[in-house]
Amino acid sequence: MKLELQGITKTFGALVANDHIDLEVEPGEIHCLLGENGAGKSTLMNILYGLYQADGGTILLDGTAQHFAGPGDAMRAGIGMVHQHFMLIPVFTVAENVMLGHEQAKLGFLDLPAARAKVREISARFGFDVDPDALVEDLPVGVQQRVEIIKALSRNAQVLVFDEPTAVLTPQETDELMAIMRQLKEAGTAIVFITHKLREVREVADRITVIRLGKVVGEASPTATNSELASLMVGRSVELTVEKSGSVSGGHALTVDHVTVIDARGQVVVDDVSFEVQAGEILAIAGVQGNGQTELTEAILGLEEHVTGGIHLDGLDLRQLSMRKILDAGVGFVPEDRQEDALVPEFTIAENLMLDRSDGEPFVKRGTLQLGYLRSFAADKVKEFDVRTQGIDTLVGRLSGGNQQKVVLARELSRELRLFVAAQPTRGLDVGSIEFVHERIVATRDAGVPVIVISTELDEVVALADRIAVMYRGRIVGIVPGDTPRDVLGLMMAGEVPHGTEVAA
Amino acid sequence: MTGSENTAPESRSARVLREIASGGVALTVLSVILAFVIGGILIAATDPTVQQTAGYFFARPTDMLSAVWQSVSGAYASLFRGGVYDFTAPDFQGGIVSLLSSLNYATPLIAAGLGIAIGFRTGVFNIGGQGQMLIGATAAGWVGFALPLPAGIHLIVAIIAGLLGGMVWAGIVGLLKARTGAHEVIVTIMMNYIALYLLQFLLHTPVLRAPGSQNPQTPAEKPTALLFSVFGPNYDLSFGFVLVVAATIGCWWLLSRSSLGFKLRAVGENPRAARVAGINVNRTIVYAMALSGLLVGLAGVYQVLGQNTTGFGSDIDAGIGFNAITVTLLGRSRPWGVFAAGIVFGILQAGSNTMQVAQGVDIDIVTVIQSIIVLFIAAPPLVRAIFRLPAPGSRPRAARSKKVAEAK
């Protein structure tokens, strides 16, 4: 079945997520949708799957226009989706999951034998080796993904969408998935493969469409080089410039020495990472989302449980300290997920401004909140950081993202700092707020504080960094100077160290 | 990315708790009014005169309407007489007795309700009020009847013993939750059974059973340990009520003015952000449970030293541990809200006795009204629909973050 998307447009408020996107997928073809996080890939596929309604444009299957009111319509039309986060019920068996939503019954009893037979039949056809009676929660992630594929195929999907399917897989499982995709393609399925990983694209894609900021910015063939793909994907959007003088080195401040982090699933997410940050410099940690940056940050802040290696700040062993002590030692932290990790939405601006200082002076004396001091402090900070609000008693949950982030910055930067760590400091912010946040970060550096900025936005990395460490699959690919060309950085984000580039230690 | 990434890992129960706690005062008042309206319908429908006159409603409708008015107004007037002020009494002293007895009924409800509220505000659901009351009552009661101490000191020691009893019983739950992740709802329920059967066992041993008696009942409390009447014998208001007022002020201070309360609320609203802000979430939960149990223990103290002073059995909690949850919901987990809600429930309880005697309306109607209040409070959309109130600006934060997530 041939799939065509014509002029798909979708806006969320002022944000244009998809801007007249055209896409064409032939039967027996793997069409890759390549783009950074937030480029609009998932939105496009959710429109195709009937989860969102497009504001404009048409979906054609074999030349017939389709109108999907929901995923049910899309499935009936022959579209199947393998979500990044599996839509499986862990306590059900494989067969039960496969029949879910399409249960067949005999005399009022579920026809499980038929579902089992179906699972076996599809497994045999593609060599999946999936036991229909296994509980889904007992299966490894890679096999769970196969169950998702079986689910889609059992409903006779002719068009299969894989939404970032490798994000949760180990390298080995990824290779197996690639093989499965090729098999499906040979069976005549049209496949849309969404990813931001260049290696995988080059391996399986027949055609590549690159999306950036909601627009199709180009098509490429799989024979294109990595640097061609990277520069297409990263692009050159609005140049964000920050007034910045040369960094003044003040000697080593933070030393991260052979740090390895193992997550709750037992996967190595940060793999033997070492670097140093000097006082008065910004080290940017670049990389595509999910390559261990989050876990590395959390390890520095004492939020990860299974960490080995050494983390020292001015000789102080941070690994021995609790989060409380690390904050007290002068580490300022802007978490990646502002609403979940940084703020209490039902608290006022004033209360959020003292959230990580609820233990001692100046906000607490003899166990009592110093509300008078807090009010004047909050009023000052709201003015200084230009938080646009009715007043300091406004609930933080009612502020815009940019203003929320200003509250977080105000809180973290109003302490005496010895290290400042900002993760995705401008994610979801408007241009004005981005500028403000960047200025404050540079000002912090200029005050002689070592700064780590973790960002997936190449523009941001280039604008702020004195040095750039690029992470890929939990490792640091290399640490390069802040003026390294973008295409080189793009390549490094894809896990390759380009020849002829000097990699600073 | 898909929207699911931004979905808060907030548990369903925590969200329900927060929604109930954040409902407006107007909604609460309307819920109470609605409950009284429905209660009135029930009173009228079960009234024999109304039933009789309904038989010839189309011949003489006024008969039935006046019968309805008679039954409902009569019932609620006697409720007022019994619960607030007896306007038929010859003097002030006789009239105000009603209110004083309501306040005495309200005392343990408020104490336990404050305890439950501290839990709710920290995001833990303490439904172990029964067990904590039993242990608190046992500890205070034992000190009260067994230890020969001088007046004054005796009362103080007994009260402290009761508070500690409740605190320990709930603190165990907090520790289990913090250390092992055991869910507090299940653990508190089990602790209720342990407390109940432990008490029943002790009541069959000489430790608690009154000497020379075969009944599972303790001896009477010594007079030195009793909660005295504040205004003397003519105006019977227990000193327990003074303690509860102090506890309410204390809770208000704790939650809105203290460092610990700030942490409790932060953990209750967003444990993830609290953790990142350096707050020890597990320790805070243990504190919350211990404080919760301490206040529930106060309710137990009142039961043995103020209410049933002639010795107690295993029913000493009188269901207050559970009714307090209702009071807390009605009071929206705010200290003064709980205080007011406790008094409303005290009035209902005191008034229902008079209502039964004077009007022959069954005492259970009050339980029905209490239940309906909670039903409405737990279902704000229902109340809004009945009164055609606009839906609140339901969480703009979630809406916006979803959009951002969708756009990715």
Side-chain angles (χ1 to χ4, degrees):
Chain A
M1 199 186 287
K2 182 183 176 181
L3 168 73
E4 282 174 276
L5 301 178
Q6 294 178 345
I8 300 288
T9 300
K10 177 75 183 171
T11 55
F12 296 105
L15 200 130
V16 184
N18 287 158
D19 189 358
H20 295 93
I21 290 188
D22 297 328
L23 192 74
E24 203 174 281
V25 192
E26 302 279 351
E29 179 190 54
I30 298 180
H31 193 132
C32 230
L33 210 52
L34 187 65
E36 284 190 299
N37 286 304
K41 300 168 297 194
S42 290
T43 307
L44 185 66
M45 287 306 116
N46 284 333
I47 290 171
L48 173 62
Y49 201 51
L51 287 167
Y52 298 155
Q53 306 304 313
D55 300 333
T58 35
I59 300 169
L60 300 170
L61 284 174
D62 280 340
T64 323
Q66 306 286 331
H67 296 281
F68 299 147
D73 290 352
M75 276 188 248
R76 271 188 289 280
I79 294 174
M81 191 141 170
V82 177
H83 296 270
Q84 182 179 2
H85 304 276
F86 305 146
M87 307 289 173
L88 297 172
I89 298 178
V91 296
F92 277 16
T93 66
V94 172
E96 284 167 340
N97 266 292
V98 167
M99 77 191 302
L100 186 66
H102 295 251
E103 301 88 352
Q104 291 181 332
K106 264 186 192 165
L107 303 170
F109 290 95
L110 286 174
D111 192 1
L112 267 173
R116 280 197 204 103
K118 191 125 210 171
V119 172
R120 286 215 184 85
E121 185 253 314
I122 296 170
S123 295
R125 193 155 23 118
F126 294 99
F128 278 179
D129 186 27
V130 175
D131 173 11
D133 293 317
L135 285 184
V136 162
E137 63 185 353
D138 296 336
L139 299 174
V141 181
V143 180
Q144 290 190 15
Q145 192 167 52
R146 279 177 215 173
V147 177
E148 283 278 18
I149 297 172
I150 293 173
K151 227 167 90 181
L153 293 176
S154 74
R155 286 156 208 181
N156 300 315
Q158 305 288 313
V159 178
L160 259 186
V161 180
F162 288 85
D163 186 2
E164 309 251 6
T166 58
V168 290
L169 301 184
T170 63
Q172 210 177 359
E173 288 172 330
T174 304
D175 291 341
E176 288 168 16
L177 176 69
M178 299 284 150
I180 290 170
M181 286 169 79
R182 281 196 209 96
Q183 270 183 318
L184 289 167
K185 167 183 138 176
E186 268 144 37
T189 313
I191 294 177
V192 183
F193 176 28
I194 302 176
T195 189
H196 48 237
K197 296 182 181 169
L198 299 177
R199 186 181 75 85
E200 297 161 5
V201 169
R202 285 160 51 81
E203 202 168 305
V204 292
D206 297 313
R207 258 202 289 175
I208 300 166
T209 296
V210 184
I211 295 188
R212 179 166 165 76
L213 297 174
K215 285 184 191 152
V216 173
V217 291
E219 295 219 1
S221 75
T223 50
T225 64
N226 267 2
S227 63
E228 281 169 8
L229 289 176
S231 61
L232 262 179
M233 183 165 104
V234 168
R236 275 156 227 278
S237 65
V238 200
E239 283 286 327
L240 291 166
T241 47
V242 185
E243 289 278 326
K244 196 170 100 193
S245 55
S247 68
V248 197
S249 168
H252 295 324
L254 180 78
T255 325
V256 172
D257 192 23
H258 296 290
V259 165
T260 296
V261 180
I262 296 169
D263 72 3
R265 287 188 302 167
Q267 303 263 13
V268 175
V269 281
V270 175
D271 190 359
D272 194 23
V273 163
S274 301
F275 60 86
E276 280 159 350
V277 193
Q278 307 185 350
E281 79 158 350
I282 297 176
L283 175 78
I285 298 179
V288 174
Q289 178 86 43
N291 276 293
Q293 305 98 310
T294 308
E295 290 81 3
L296 175 62
T297 327
E298 291 185 346
I300 294 172
L301 269 297
L303 291 167
E304 285 285 342
E305 290 193 18
H306 306 285
V307 183
T308 54
I311 303 171
H312 294 267
L313 176 63
D314 296 331
L316 197 66
D317 185 359
L318 293 190
R319 280 200 48 217
Q320 300 300 318
L321 301 180
S322 66
M323 180 80 201
R324 172 82 267 144
K325 295 267 169 57
I326 289 175
L327 292 173
D328 290 343
V331 178
F333 178 43
V334 177
E336 175 180 320
D337 190 336
R338 165 165 74 236
Q339 285 159 343
E340 290 302 330
D341 292 333
L343 297 166
V344 179
E346 286 79 13
F347 272 19
T348 65
I349 292 176
E351 286 175 318
N352 271 289
L353 281 172
M354 64 162 286
L355 189 64
D356 61 4
R357 284 201 272 174
S358 57
D359 259 325
E361 297 206 25
F363 295 107
V364 175
K365 277 181 193 160
R366 279 171 269 105
T368 311
L369 301 183
Q370 302 300 304
L371 291 184
Y373 179 81
L374 177 62
R375 292 195 72 81
S376 66
F377 174 84
D380 283 354
K381 291 299 161 189
V382 162
K383 205 186 251 175
E384 183 188 341
F385 284 81
D386 191 29
V387 182
R388 310 274 165 83
T389 171
Q390 312 264 328
I392 58 168
D393 293 324
T394 308
L395 298 185
V396 154
R398 303 209 176 270
L399 298 178
S400 71
N403 283 309
Q404 288 184 345
Q405 191 70 325
K406 286 174 184 173
V407 173
V408 178
L409 277 179
R411 179 177 74 210
E412 299 304 317
L413 294 179
S414 55
R415 293 186 279 142
E416 187 109 335
L417 290 187
R418 282 160 73 188
L419 173 68
F420 183 53
V421 181
Q424 315 296 353
T426 59
R427 178 173 283 178
L429 303 193
D430 57 285
V431 176
S433 303
I434 290 175
E435 210 171 312
F436 181 87
V437 171
H438 282 178
E439 278 168 18
R440 298 301 307 206
I441 290 174
V442 172
T444 308
R445 173 197 81 149
D446 291 343
V449 176
V451 177
I452 300 177
V453 173
I454 295 90
S455 181
T456 51
E457 305 289 325
L458 213 39
D459 290 328
E460 178 161 83
V461 168
V462 170
L464 290 176
D466 296 311
R467 287 190 303 145
I468 303 170
V470 182
M471 281 191 82
Y472 179 73
R473 292 196 179 185
R475 305 187 73 107
I476 288 191
V477 179
I479 301 179
V480 294
D483 55 1
T484 305
R486 280 157 189 266
D487 49 351
V488 175
L489 291 173
L491 266 185
M492 292 174 73
M493 285 164 79
E496 291 185 21
V497 188
H499 294 292
T501 315
E502 201 177 321
V503 176
Chain B
M1 300 294 110
T2 45
S4 57
E5 269 193 344
N6 277 43
T7 315
E10 182 181 35
S11 73
R12 180 178 284 259
S13 60
R15 193 177 64 233
V16 169
L17 286 185
R18 204 187 56 225
E19 271 173 14
I20 291 170
S22 62
V25 179
L27 224 50
T28 311
V29 174
L30 290 176
S31 300
V32 174
I33 292 172
L34 267 182
F36 271 94
V37 170
I38 293 176
I41 294 171
L42 290 176
I43 291 169
T46 51
D47 186 271
T49 324
V50 174
Q51 285 167 355
Q52 228 169 40
T53 51
Y56 55 93
F57 176 74
F58 291 104
R60 280 170 62 192
T62 45
D63 270 17
M64 180 183 151
L65 292 177
S66 77
V68 166
W69 171 251
Q70 287 275 326
S71 66
V72 176
S73 66
Y76 284 153
S78 58
L79 187 72
F80 183 85
R81 258 191 322 124
V84 184
Y85 190 83
D86 186 358
F87 44 82
T88 58
D91 56 355
F92 177 75
Q93 187 192 329
I96 203 69
V97 158
S98 305
L99 184 63
L100 295 179
S101 95
S102 293
L103 295 183
N104 285 335
Y105 274 120
T107 300
L109 284 172
I110 296 170
L114 289 170
I116 310 286
I118 298 250
F120 277 177
R121 294 294 289 277
T122 320
V124 287
F125 200 163
N126 177 10
I127 55 175
Q130 184 195 9
Q132 291 145 28
M133 271 187 77
L134 289 177
I135 297 297
T138 305
W142 182 82
V143 171
F145 71 71
L147 295 187
L149 290 169
I153 294 173
H154 198 177
L155 176 60
I156 293 170
V157 173
I159 291 175
I160 291 174
L163 299 183
L164 286 178
M167 189 168 109
V168 167
W169 209 246
I172 292 171
V173 178
L175 278 175
L176 283 174
K177 184 178 169 70
R179 284 282 160 79
T180 68
H183 199 284
E184 75 274 12
V185 168
I186 293 162
V187 181
T188 45
I189 291 175
M190 291 305 133
M191 294 291 275
N192 284 346
Y193 286 114
I194 296 173
L196 178 63
Y197 293 117
L198 181 66
L199 178 54
Q200 283 184 357
F201 167 73
L202 290 176
L203 283 166
H204 284 100
T205 68
V207 179
L208 287 183
R209 192 174 56 197
S213 163
Q214 286 308 309
N215 296 331
Q217 178 110 8
T218 68
E221 302 297 327
K222 291 192 196 309
T224 43
L226 295 187
L227 291 163
F228 47 89
S229 173
V230 185
F231 301 118
N234 289 339
Y235 297 95
D236 177 31
L237 179 66
S238 168
F239 181 66
F241 186 75
V242 177
L243 290 178
V244 158
V245 172
T248 310
I249 296 171
C251 282
W252 168 82
W253 178 85
L254 176 81
L255 284 173
S256 56
R257 291 290 182 276
S258 78
S259 163
L260 177 59
F262 184 86
K263 291 180 200 163
L264 294 177
R265 287 186 292 128
V267 169
E269 295 285 1
N270 187 349
R272 280 183 59 176
R275 173 168 170 261
V276 174
I279 295 171
N280 187 329
V281 174
N282 282 339
R283 192 186 296 163
T284 308
I285 285 173
V286 176
Y287 288 158
M289 276 309 286
L291 278 170
S292 183
L294 183 131
L295 287 157
V296 178
L298 178 59
V301 169
Y302 177 80
Q303 285 300 97
V304 289
L305 303 182
Q307 188 73 27
N308 294 319
T309 54
T310 55
F312 62 91
S314 59
D315 57 351
I316 188 67
D317 62 292
I320 289 166
F322 291 107
N323 287 338
I325 298 173
T326 318
V327 169
T328 310
L329 293 176
L330 179 58
R332 293 160 57 240
S333 299
R334 301 298 189 277
W336 290 108
V338 171
F339 186 81
I343 288 177
V344 168
F345 272 49
I347 290 171
L348 286 175
Q349 209 162 348
S352 62
N353 296 328
T354 316
M355 196 163 75
Q356 186 167 31
V357 174
Q359 297 288 315
V361 175
D362 198 277
I363 204 162
D364 289 332
I365 198 75
V366 162
T367 317
V368 173
I369 291 176
Q370 289 176 349
S371 308
I372 295 174
I373 292 176
V374 177
L375 187 81
F376 282 127
I377 284 177
L382 189 61
V383 180
R384 270 190 232 110
I386 291 171
F387 289 96
R388 299 184 182 284
L389 296 178
S394 45
R395 302 196 50 176
R397 166 182 88 103
R400 190 168 47 244
S401 76
K402 191 150 178 261
K403 274 185 186 170
V404 172
E406 279 164 354
K408 285 179 180 175

